Amino acid sequence: MVDPSEALINLLRLAGRLKRLPRQGWLLLGVDSPESVADHSYRVALMTLLMAQDNPEVRMERALVLALCHDLPEALAGDATPFDEPLRDGEVDATQLFLSRPAYSAAADRAKRHAEEQALDEMTTELPQTLRQFIVDAWNEYEAGVTSEAQLVRQIDKLEAWLQANEYRDELPELQIESFRLGALDRVRDANLLRLVHAIDPSSAPD
């Protein structure tokens, strides 16, 4: 039987890997020293705090839990992207990669979910059962995308990527970030978040 404090520290050490795990999409795009998954998750959580506090349809505390847990399994499973499969199979030229809509194939989506489920199980297996279930339930809720809190955080996840894409383009004007615009426009439906999509780049508009 693992001491609860030791089990918690083990989880925190594993979660700490997210601080050193680069966001794979930016590496594919050619960004040197890109943000980490932890960087992304922090701003997703901050954006969730800002956007949920005056939303009567969303429980802010629950939304924050989902935001903080949504990328946790990537500490072991890695940061898969929708472009990994077409690149591996030679279906798309890397120079054209970020012109298209980001979408996982059914097989890639199943593989990603299975890998992350296994990773989360490994990361939480020694925790007290109540705490373990709390984390696993939060991740599953985010993945299912049914509750108002999950829907908000999933939209913010794409919105944050669109903001980051524009920040990188400000530094490197030649970067092709169309896929991030399309990803935000395809996912974001909340009126307040849509205003932020266009505030990030006033020229962005649906096709």
PDB file of all heavy atoms in Angstrom, residues 36-72:
ATOM      1  N   SER A  36       5.262  24.790 -23.934  1.00  0.00           N
ATOM      2  CA  SER A  36       5.042  23.432 -23.452  1.00  0.00           C
ATOM      3  C   SER A  36       3.544  23.164 -23.328  1.00  0.00           C
ATOM      4  O   SER A  36       2.717  24.080 -23.385  1.00  0.00           O
ATOM      5  CB  SER A  36       5.705  23.237 -22.087  1.00  0.00           C
ATOM      6  OG  SER A  36       5.012  23.993 -21.095  1.00  0.00           O
ATOM      7  N   VAL A  37       3.207  21.903 -23.130  1.00  0.00           N
ATOM      8  CA  VAL A  37       1.814  21.547 -22.881  1.00  0.00           C
ATOM      9  C   VAL A  37       1.327  22.228 -21.609  1.00  0.00           C
ATOM     10  O   VAL A  37       0.178  22.693 -21.542  1.00  0.00           O
ATOM     11  CB  VAL A  37       1.658  20.017 -22.784  1.00  0.00           C
ATOM     12  CG1 VAL A  37       0.238  19.637 -22.345  1.00  0.00           C
ATOM     13  CG2 VAL A  37       1.983  19.364 -24.118  1.00  0.00           C
ATOM     14  N   ALA A  38       2.187  22.321 -20.602  1.00  0.00           N
ATOM     15  CA  ALA A  38       1.799  22.993 -19.355  1.00  0.00           C
ATOM     16  C   ALA A  38       1.528  24.480 -19.595  1.00  0.00           C
ATOM     17  O   ALA A  38       0.608  25.050 -19.000  1.00  0.00           O
ATOM     18  CB  ALA A  38       2.879  22.814 -18.299  1.00  0.00           C
ATOM     19  N   ASP A  39       2.317  25.117 -20.455  1.00  0.00           N
ATOM     20  CA  ASP A  39       2.061  26.520 -20.803  1.00  0.00           C
ATOM     21  C   ASP A  39       0.656  26.671 -21.377  1.00  0.00           C
ATOM     22  O   ASP A  39      -0.102  27.579 -20.992  1.00  0.00           O
ATOM     23  CB  ASP A  39       3.072  27.015 -21.842  1.00  0.00           C
ATOM     24  CG  ASP A  39       4.496  27.072 -21.340  1.00  0.00           C
ATOM     25  OD1 ASP A  39       4.696  27.309 -20.132  1.00  0.00           O
ATOM     26  OD2 ASP A  39       5.410  26.879 -22.151  1.00  0.00           O
ATOM     27  N   HIS A  40       0.335  25.807 -22.309  1.00  0.00           N
ATOM     28  CA  HIS A  40      -0.982  25.833 -22.947  1.00  0.00           C
ATOM     29  C   HIS A  40      -2.085  25.605 -21.918  1.00  0.00           C
ATOM     30  O   HIS A  40      -3.084  26.336 -21.884  1.00  0.00           O
ATOM     31  CB  HIS A  40      -1.031  24.770 -24.039  1.00  0.00           C
ATOM     32  CG  HIS A  40      -2.404  24.394 -24.486  1.00  0.00           C
ATOM     33  ND1 HIS A  40      -3.203  25.219 -25.253  1.00  0.00           N
ATOM     34  CD2 HIS A  40      -3.137  23.260 -24.258  1.00  0.00           C
ATOM     35  CE1 HIS A  40      -4.359  24.621 -25.489  1.00  0.00           C
ATOM     36  NE2 HIS A  40      -4.346  23.436 -24.900  1.00  0.00           N
ATOM     37  N   SER A  41      -1.916  24.588 -21.071  1.00  0.00           N
ATOM     38  CA  SER A  41      -2.953  24.265 -20.102  1.00  0.00           C
ATOM     39  C   SER A  41      -3.181  25.405 -19.115  1.00  0.00           C
ATOM     40  O   SER A  41      -4.325  25.654 -18.706  1.00  0.00           O
ATOM     41  CB  SER A  41      -2.585  22.982 -19.347  1.00  0.00           C
ATOM     42  OG  SER A  41      -2.593  21.866 -20.213  1.00  0.00           O
ATOM     43  N   TYR A  42      -2.107  26.090 -18.746  1.00  0.00           N
ATOM     44  CA  TYR A  42      -2.263  27.214 -17.825  1.00  0.00           C
ATOM     45  C   TYR A  42      -3.140  28.299 -18.430  1.00  0.00           C
ATOM     46  O   TYR A  42      -4.080  28.795 -17.792  1.00  0.00           O
ATOM     47  CB  TYR A  42      -0.909  27.824 -17.452  1.00  0.00           C
ATOM     48  CG  TYR A  42      -1.081  29.175 -16.786  1.00  0.00           C
ATOM     49  CD1 TYR A  42      -1.519  29.264 -15.471  1.00  0.00           C
ATOM     50  CD2 TYR A  42      -0.851  30.361 -17.498  1.00  0.00           C
ATOM     51  CE1 TYR A  42      -1.726  30.495 -14.872  1.00  0.00           C
ATOM     52  CE2 TYR A  42      -1.058  31.585 -16.905  1.00  0.00           C
ATOM     53  CZ  TYR A  42      -1.494  31.651 -15.593  1.00  0.00           C
ATOM     54  OH  TYR A  42      -1.711  32.870 -15.009  1.00  0.00           O
ATOM     55  N   ARG A  43      -2.892  28.647 -19.694  1.00  0.00           N
ATOM     56  CA  ARG A  43      -3.680  29.734 -20.268  1.00  0.00           C
ATOM     57  C   ARG A  43      -5.108  29.273 -20.578  1.00  0.00           C
ATOM     58  O   ARG A  43      -6.032  30.079 -20.508  1.00  0.00           O
ATOM     59  CB  ARG A  43      -3.011  30.335 -21.500  1.00  0.00           C
ATOM     60  CG  ARG A  43      -3.686  31.642 -21.908  1.00  0.00           C
ATOM     61  CD  ARG A  43      -2.791  32.583 -22.675  1.00  0.00           C
ATOM     62  NE  ARG A  43      -2.361  32.051 -23.951  1.00  0.00           N
ATOM     63  CZ  ARG A  43      -1.619  32.756 -24.822  1.00  0.00           C
ATOM     64  NH1 ARG A  43      -1.234  33.996 -24.526  1.00  0.00           N
ATOM     65  NH2 ARG A  43      -1.252  32.221 -25.973  1.00  0.00           N
ATOM     66  N   VAL A  44      -5.294  27.995 -20.902  1.00  0.00           N
ATOM     67  CA  VAL A  44      -6.652  27.472 -21.038  1.00  0.00           C
ATOM     68  C   VAL A  44      -7.401  27.645 -19.710  1.00  0.00           C
ATOM     69  O   VAL A  44      -8.565  28.075 -19.682  1.00  0.00           O
ATOM     70  CB  VAL A  44      -6.640  25.995 -21.467  1.00  0.00           C
ATOM     71  CG1 VAL A  44      -8.038  25.374 -21.315  1.00  0.00           C
ATOM     72  CG2 VAL A  44      -6.186  25.865 -22.908  1.00  0.00           C
ATOM     73  N   ALA A  45      -6.733  27.326 -18.599  1.00  0.00           N
ATOM     74  CA  ALA A  45      -7.373  27.475 -17.291  1.00  0.00           C
ATOM     75  C   ALA A  45      -7.671  28.937 -16.982  1.00  0.00           C
ATOM     76  O   ALA A  45      -8.754  29.264 -16.463  1.00  0.00           O
ATOM     77  CB  ALA A  45      -6.486  26.866 -16.201  1.00  0.00           C
ATOM     78  N   LEU A  46      -6.744  29.829 -17.297  1.00  0.00           N
ATOM     79  CA  LEU A  46      -6.969  31.249 -17.046  1.00  0.00           C
ATOM     80  C   LEU A  46      -8.129  31.771 -17.895  1.00  0.00           C
ATOM     81  O   LEU A  46      -8.991  32.518 -17.405  1.00  0.00           O
ATOM     82  CB  LEU A  46      -5.695  32.040 -17.336  1.00  0.00           C
ATOM     83  CG  LEU A  46      -5.790  33.562 -17.130  1.00  0.00           C
ATOM     84  CD1 LEU A  46      -6.172  33.893 -15.687  1.00  0.00           C
ATOM     85  CD2 LEU A  46      -4.471  34.228 -17.512  1.00  0.00           C
ATOM     86  N   MET A  47      -8.159  31.394 -19.153  1.00  0.00           N
ATOM     87  CA  MET A  47      -9.251  31.813 -20.028  1.00  0.00           C
ATOM     88  C   MET A  47     -10.587  31.259 -19.541  1.00  0.00           C
ATOM     89  O   MET A  47     -11.624  31.931 -19.610  1.00  0.00           O
ATOM     90  CB  MET A  47      -8.972  31.374 -21.463  1.00  0.00           C
ATOM     91  CG  MET A  47      -7.782  32.091 -22.093  1.00  0.00           C
ATOM     92  SD  MET A  47      -7.225  31.343 -23.651  1.00  0.00           S
ATOM     93  CE  MET A  47      -8.548  31.833 -24.748  1.00  0.00           C
ATOM     94  N   THR A  48     -10.556  30.028 -19.027  1.00  0.00           N
ATOM     95  CA  THR A  48     -11.768  29.432 -18.471  1.00  0.00           C
ATOM     96  C   THR A  48     -12.259  30.241 -17.277  1.00  0.00           C
ATOM     97  O   THR A  48     -13.460  30.527 -17.151  1.00  0.00           O
ATOM     98  CB  THR A  48     -11.500  27.979 -18.057  1.00  0.00           C
ATOM     99  OG1 THR A  48     -11.136  27.219 -19.215  1.00  0.00           O
ATOM    100  CG2 THR A  48     -12.722  27.348 -17.416  1.00  0.00           C
ATOM    101  N   LEU A  49     -11.355  30.626 -16.408  1.00  0.00           N
ATOM    102  CA  LEU A  49     -11.715  31.460 -15.258  1.00  0.00           C
ATOM    103  C   LEU A  49     -12.378  32.757 -15.709  1.00  0.00           C
ATOM    104  O   LEU A  49     -13.425  33.163 -15.183  1.00  0.00           O
ATOM    105  CB  LEU A  49     -10.458  31.765 -14.437  1.00  0.00           C
ATOM    106  CG  LEU A  49     -10.613  32.758 -13.283  1.00  0.00           C
ATOM    107  CD1 LEU A  49     -11.471  32.161 -12.183  1.00  0.00           C
ATOM    108  CD2 LEU A  49      -9.246  33.154 -12.735  1.00  0.00           C
ATOM    109  N   LEU A  50     -11.787  33.398 -16.693  1.00  0.00           N
ATOM    110  CA  LEU A  50     -12.291  34.693 -17.153  1.00  0.00           C
ATOM    111  C   LEU A  50     -13.630  34.579 -17.862  1.00  0.00           C
ATOM    112  O   LEU A  50     -14.480  35.468 -17.738  1.00  0.00           O
ATOM    113  CB  LEU A  50     -11.265  35.337 -18.083  1.00  0.00           C
ATOM    114  CG  LEU A  50      -9.907  35.675 -17.459  1.00  0.00           C
ATOM    115  CD1 LEU A  50      -8.938  36.161 -18.524  1.00  0.00           C
ATOM    116  CD2 LEU A  50     -10.059  36.718 -16.362  1.00  0.00           C
ATOM    117  N   MET A  51     -13.824  33.486 -18.597  1.00  0.00           N
ATOM    118  CA  MET A  51     -15.032  33.359 -19.409  1.00  0.00           C
ATOM    119  C   MET A  51     -16.182  32.662 -18.684  1.00  0.00           C
ATOM    120  O   MET A  51     -17.328  32.770 -19.102  1.00  0.00           O
ATOM    121  CB  MET A  51     -14.718  32.596 -20.698  1.00  0.00           C
ATOM    122  CG  MET A  51     -13.649  33.248 -21.567  1.00  0.00           C
ATOM    123  SD  MET A  51     -13.964  35.003 -21.924  1.00  0.00           S
ATOM    124  CE  MET A  51     -15.490  34.907 -22.850  1.00  0.00           C
ATOM    125  N   ALA A  52     -15.896  31.953 -17.597  1.00  0.00           N
ATOM    126  CA  ALA A  52     -16.945  31.207 -16.900  1.00  0.00           C
ATOM    127  C   ALA A  52     -17.565  31.976 -15.750  1.00  0.00           C
ATOM    128  O   ALA A  52     -18.679  31.656 -15.325  1.00  0.00           O
ATOM    129  CB  ALA A  52     -16.385  29.883 -16.386  1.00  0.00           C
ATOM    130  N   GLN A  53     -16.889  32.995 -15.248  1.00  0.00           N
ATOM    131  CA  GLN A  53     -17.346  33.612 -14.005  1.00  0.00           C
ATOM    132  C   GLN A  53     -18.709  34.282 -14.131  1.00  0.00           C
ATOM    133  O   GLN A  53     -19.481  34.321 -13.174  1.00  0.00           O
ATOM    134  CB  GLN A  53     -16.319  34.622 -13.500  1.00  0.00           C
ATOM    135  CG  GLN A  53     -16.029  35.774 -14.453  1.00  0.00           C
ATOM    136  CD  GLN A  53     -15.090  36.784 -13.826  1.00  0.00           C
ATOM    137  OE1 GLN A  53     -15.012  36.899 -12.612  1.00  0.00           O
ATOM    138  NE2 GLN A  53     -14.364  37.518 -14.653  1.00  0.00           N
ATOM    139  N   ASP A  54     -19.047  34.803 -15.302  1.00  0.00           N
ATOM    140  CA  ASP A  54     -20.337  35.464 -15.492  1.00  0.00           C
ATOM    141  C   ASP A  54     -21.276  34.665 -16.378  1.00  0.00           C
ATOM    142  O   ASP A  54     -22.254  35.200 -16.904  1.00  0.00           O
ATOM    143  CB  ASP A  54     -20.125  36.865 -16.095  1.00  0.00           C
ATOM    144  CG  ASP A  54     -19.425  37.799 -15.126  1.00  0.00           C
ATOM    145  OD1 ASP A  54     -19.677  37.682 -13.915  1.00  0.00           O
ATOM    146  OD2 ASP A  54     -18.615  38.634 -15.583  1.00  0.00           O
ATOM    147  N   ASN A  55     -20.979  33.388 -16.552  1.00  0.00           N
ATOM    148  CA  ASN A  55     -21.810  32.530 -17.394  1.00  0.00           C
ATOM    149  C   ASN A  55     -22.725  31.700 -16.499  1.00  0.00           C
ATOM    150  O   ASN A  55     -22.270  30.776 -15.818  1.00  0.00           O
ATOM    151  CB  ASN A  55     -20.930  31.621 -18.251  1.00  0.00           C
ATOM    152  CG  ASN A  55     -21.711  30.840 -19.279  1.00  0.00           C
ATOM    153  OD1 ASN A  55     -22.892  30.560 -19.096  1.00  0.00           O
ATOM    154  ND2 ASN A  55     -21.059  30.468 -20.365  1.00  0.00           N
ATOM    155  N   PRO A  56     -24.011  32.005 -16.463  1.00  0.00           N
ATOM    156  CA  PRO A  56     -24.910  31.291 -15.543  1.00  0.00           C
ATOM    157  C   PRO A  56     -25.112  29.825 -15.903  1.00  0.00           C
ATOM    158  O   PRO A  56     -25.605  29.048 -15.079  1.00  0.00           O
ATOM    159  CB  PRO A  56     -26.227  32.077 -15.683  1.00  0.00           C
ATOM    160  CG  PRO A  56     -26.167  32.702 -17.034  1.00  0.00           C
ATOM    161  CD  PRO A  56     -24.718  33.013 -17.268  1.00  0.00           C
ATOM    162  N   GLU A  57     -24.722  29.427 -17.116  1.00  0.00           N
ATOM    163  CA  GLU A  57     -24.903  28.043 -17.543  1.00  0.00           C
ATOM    164  C   GLU A  57     -23.707  27.158 -17.204  1.00  0.00           C
ATOM    165  O   GLU A  57     -23.743  25.947 -17.446  1.00  0.00           O
ATOM    166  CB  GLU A  57     -25.152  28.000 -19.053  1.00  0.00           C
ATOM    167  CG  GLU A  57     -26.405  28.746 -19.488  1.00  0.00           C
ATOM    168  CD  GLU A  57     -26.618  28.693 -20.985  1.00  0.00           C
ATOM    169  OE1 GLU A  57     -25.775  28.089 -21.687  1.00  0.00           O
ATOM    170  OE2 GLU A  57     -27.614  29.251 -21.454  1.00  0.00           O
ATOM    171  N   VAL A  58     -22.661  27.767 -16.632  1.00  0.00           N
ATOM    172  CA  VAL A  58     -21.427  27.032 -16.382  1.00  0.00           C
ATOM    173  C   VAL A  58     -21.035  27.143 -14.910  1.00  0.00           C
ATOM    174  O   VAL A  58     -21.040  28.231 -14.342  1.00  0.00           O
ATOM    175  CB  VAL A  58     -20.284  27.582 -17.266  1.00  0.00           C
ATOM    176  CG1 VAL A  58     -18.950  26.966 -16.872  1.00  0.00           C
ATOM    177  CG2 VAL A  58     -20.570  27.318 -18.733  1.00  0.00           C
ATOM    178  N   ARG A  59     -20.704  26.001 -14.310  1.00  0.00           N
ATOM    179  CA  ARG A  59     -20.135  26.005 -12.956  1.00  0.00           C
ATOM    180  C   ARG A  59     -18.634  26.264 -13.095  1.00  0.00           C
ATOM    181  O   ARG A  59     -17.903  25.408 -13.585  1.00  0.00           O
ATOM    182  CB  ARG A  59     -20.389  24.666 -12.270  1.00  0.00           C
ATOM    183  CG  ARG A  59     -21.862  24.341 -12.019  1.00  0.00           C
ATOM    184  CD  ARG A  59     -22.030  22.902 -11.588  1.00  0.00           C
ATOM    185  NE  ARG A  59     -21.660  21.986 -12.654  1.00  0.00           N
ATOM    186  CZ  ARG A  59     -21.332  20.711 -12.468  1.00  0.00           C
ATOM    187  NH1 ARG A  59     -21.315  20.196 -11.258  1.00  0.00           N
ATOM    188  NH2 ARG A  59     -21.006  19.949 -13.497  1.00  0.00           N
ATOM    189  N   MET A  60     -18.207  27.429 -12.647  1.00  0.00           N
ATOM    190  CA  MET A  60     -16.830  27.838 -12.883  1.00  0.00           C
ATOM    191  C   MET A  60     -15.838  26.853 -12.264  1.00  0.00           C
ATOM    192  O   MET A  60     -14.831  26.495 -12.892  1.00  0.00           O
ATOM    193  CB  MET A  60     -16.579  29.238 -12.329  1.00  0.00           C
ATOM    194  CG  MET A  60     -15.167  29.752 -12.596  1.00  0.00           C
ATOM    195  SD  MET A  60     -14.917  31.444 -12.054  1.00  0.00           S
ATOM    196  CE  MET A  60     -15.038  31.253 -10.268  1.00  0.00           C
ATOM    197  N   GLU A  61     -16.083  26.414 -11.033  1.00  0.00           N
ATOM    198  CA  GLU A  61     -15.137  25.523 -10.378  1.00  0.00           C
ATOM    199  C   GLU A  61     -14.980  24.218 -11.160  1.00  0.00           C
ATOM    200  O   GLU A  61     -13.867  23.703 -11.312  1.00  0.00           O
ATOM    201  CB  GLU A  61     -15.567  25.239  -8.942  1.00  0.00           C
ATOM    202  CG  GLU A  61     -15.419  26.446  -8.018  1.00  0.00           C
ATOM    203  CD  GLU A  61     -15.749  26.106  -6.579  1.00  0.00           C
ATOM    204  OE1 GLU A  61     -16.031  24.922  -6.293  1.00  0.00           O
ATOM    205  OE2 GLU A  61     -15.740  27.025  -5.743  1.00  0.00           O
ATOM    206  N   ARG A  62     -16.102  23.696 -11.652  1.00  0.00           N
ATOM    207  CA  ARG A  62     -16.020  22.446 -12.409  1.00  0.00           C
ATOM    208  C   ARG A  62     -15.288  22.670 -13.729  1.00  0.00           C
ATOM    209  O   ARG A  62     -14.477  21.839 -14.150  1.00  0.00           O
ATOM    210  CB  ARG A  62     -17.425  21.892 -12.680  1.00  0.00           C
ATOM    211  CG  ARG A  62     -17.430  20.526 -13.368  1.00  0.00           C
ATOM    212  CD  ARG A  62     -16.684  19.494 -12.532  1.00  0.00           C
ATOM    213  NE  ARG A  62     -16.682  18.178 -13.166  1.00  0.00           N
ATOM    214  CZ  ARG A  62     -16.001  17.143 -12.693  1.00  0.00           C
ATOM    215  NH1 ARG A  62     -15.264  17.285 -11.594  1.00  0.00           N
ATOM    216  NH2 ARG A  62     -16.033  15.975 -13.302  1.00  0.00           N
ATOM    217  N   ALA A  63     -15.567  23.770 -14.380  1.00  0.00           N
ATOM    218  CA  ALA A  63     -14.886  24.073 -15.632  1.00  0.00           C
ATOM    219  C   ALA A  63     -13.379  24.175 -15.423  1.00  0.00           C
ATOM    220  O   ALA A  63     -12.590  23.701 -16.250  1.00  0.00           O
ATOM    221  CB  ALA A  63     -15.432  25.365 -16.231  1.00  0.00           C
ATOM    222  N   LEU A  64     -12.962  24.766 -14.312  1.00  0.00           N
ATOM    223  CA  LEU A  64     -11.532  24.878 -14.019  1.00  0.00           C
ATOM    224  C   LEU A  64     -10.901  23.504 -13.786  1.00  0.00           C
ATOM    225  O   LEU A  64      -9.762  23.258 -14.197  1.00  0.00           O
ATOM    226  CB  LEU A  64     -11.308  25.767 -12.799  1.00  0.00           C
ATOM    227  CG  LEU A  64     -11.448  27.270 -13.046  1.00  0.00           C
ATOM    228  CD1 LEU A  64     -11.444  28.028 -11.731  1.00  0.00           C
ATOM    229  CD2 LEU A  64     -10.321  27.774 -13.956  1.00  0.00           C
ATOM    230  N   VAL A  65     -11.627  22.617 -13.134  1.00  0.00           N
ATOM    231  CA  VAL A  65     -11.121  21.257 -12.943  1.00  0.00           C
ATOM    232  C   VAL A  65     -10.863  20.593 -14.300  1.00  0.00           C
ATOM    233  O   VAL A  65      -9.810  19.989 -14.523  1.00  0.00           O
ATOM    234  CB  VAL A  65     -12.114  20.423 -12.107  1.00  0.00           C
ATOM    235  CG1 VAL A  65     -11.711  18.947 -12.115  1.00  0.00           C
ATOM    236  CG2 VAL A  65     -12.178  20.929 -10.677  1.00  0.00           C
ATOM    237  N   LEU A  66     -11.808  20.733 -15.212  1.00  0.00           N
ATOM    238  CA  LEU A  66     -11.642  20.127 -16.538  1.00  0.00           C
ATOM    239  C   LEU A  66     -10.466  20.755 -17.273  1.00  0.00           C
ATOM    240  O   LEU A  66      -9.699  20.049 -17.941  1.00  0.00           O
ATOM    241  CB  LEU A  66     -12.916  20.293 -17.360  1.00  0.00           C
ATOM    242  CG  LEU A  66     -14.223  19.744 -16.776  1.00  0.00           C
ATOM    243  CD1 LEU A  66     -15.319  19.740 -17.838  1.00  0.00           C
ATOM    244  CD2 LEU A  66     -14.046  18.347 -16.200  1.00  0.00           C
ATOM    245  N   ALA A  67     -10.342  22.075 -17.168  1.00  0.00           N
ATOM    246  CA  ALA A  67      -9.244  22.757 -17.849  1.00  0.00           C
ATOM    247  C   ALA A  67      -7.886  22.276 -17.341  1.00  0.00           C
ATOM    248  O   ALA A  67      -6.947  22.093 -18.118  1.00  0.00           O
ATOM    249  CB  ALA A  67      -9.380  24.268 -17.666  1.00  0.00           C
ATOM    250  N   LEU A  68      -7.791  22.067 -16.047  1.00  0.00           N
ATOM    251  CA  LEU A  68      -6.516  21.655 -15.465  1.00  0.00           C
ATOM    252  C   LEU A  68      -6.186  20.187 -15.749  1.00  0.00           C
ATOM    253  O   LEU A  68      -5.017  19.807 -15.780  1.00  0.00           O
ATOM    254  CB  LEU A  68      -6.530  21.897 -13.950  1.00  0.00           C
ATOM    255  CG  LEU A  68      -6.487  23.365 -13.528  1.00  0.00           C
ATOM    256  CD1 LEU A  68      -6.830  23.508 -12.054  1.00  0.00           C
ATOM    257  CD2 LEU A  68      -5.108  23.957 -13.812  1.00  0.00           C
ATOM    258  N   CYS A  69      -7.216  19.365 -15.968  1.00  0.00           N
ATOM    259  CA  CYS A  69      -6.997  17.928 -16.177  1.00  0.00           C
ATOM    260  C   CYS A  69      -6.986  17.515 -17.639  1.00  0.00           C
ATOM    261  O   CYS A  69      -6.584  16.385 -17.951  1.00  0.00           O
ATOM    262  CB  CYS A  69      -8.086  17.128 -15.451  1.00  0.00           C
ATOM    263  SG  CYS A  69      -8.009  17.211 -13.648  1.00  0.00           S
ATOM    264  N   HIS A  70      -7.393  18.399 -18.551  1.00  0.00           N
ATOM    265  CA  HIS A  70      -7.693  17.928 -19.906  1.00  0.00           C
ATOM    266  C   HIS A  70      -6.475  17.397 -20.658  1.00  0.00           C
ATOM    267  O   HIS A  70      -6.609  16.519 -21.503  1.00  0.00           O
ATOM    268  CB  HIS A  70      -8.415  19.023 -20.712  1.00  0.00           C
ATOM    269  CG  HIS A  70      -7.526  20.045 -21.342  1.00  0.00           C
ATOM    270  ND1 HIS A  70      -6.933  21.062 -20.620  1.00  0.00           N
ATOM    271  CD2 HIS A  70      -7.129  20.219 -22.632  1.00  0.00           C
ATOM    272  CE1 HIS A  70      -6.218  21.815 -21.445  1.00  0.00           C
ATOM    273  NE2 HIS A  70      -6.310  21.324 -22.666  1.00  0.00           N
ATOM    274  N   ASP A  71      -5.284  17.888 -20.359  1.00  0.00           N
ATOM    275  CA  ASP A  71      -4.083  17.409 -21.050  1.00  0.00           C
ATOM    276  C   ASP A  71      -3.180  16.576 -20.146  1.00  0.00           C
ATOM    277  O   ASP A  71      -2.056  16.235 -20.543  1.00  0.00           O
ATOM    278  CB  ASP A  71      -3.274  18.592 -21.594  1.00  0.00           C
ATOM    279  CG  ASP A  71      -3.816  19.110 -22.915  1.00  0.00           C
ATOM    280  OD1 ASP A  71      -4.498  18.339 -23.621  1.00  0.00           O
ATOM    281  OD2 ASP A  71      -3.560  20.277 -23.251  1.00  0.00           O
ATOM    282  N   LEU A  72      -3.637  16.244 -18.967  1.00  0.00           N
ATOM    283  CA  LEU A  72      -2.791  15.537 -18.000  1.00  0.00           C
ATOM    284  C   LEU A  72      -2.192  14.247 -18.545  1.00  0.00           C
ATOM    285  O   LEU A  72      -0.991  13.991 -18.356  1.00  0.00           O
ATOM    286  CB  LEU A  72      -3.600  15.265 -16.725  1.00  0.00           C
ATOM    287  CG  LEU A  72      -2.842  14.716 -15.514  1.00  0.00           C
ATOM    288  CD1 LEU A  72      -1.699  15.644 -15.113  1.00  0.00           C
ATOM    289  CD2 LEU A  72      -3.809  14.510 -14.344  1.00  0.00           C
TER     290      LEU A  72
END
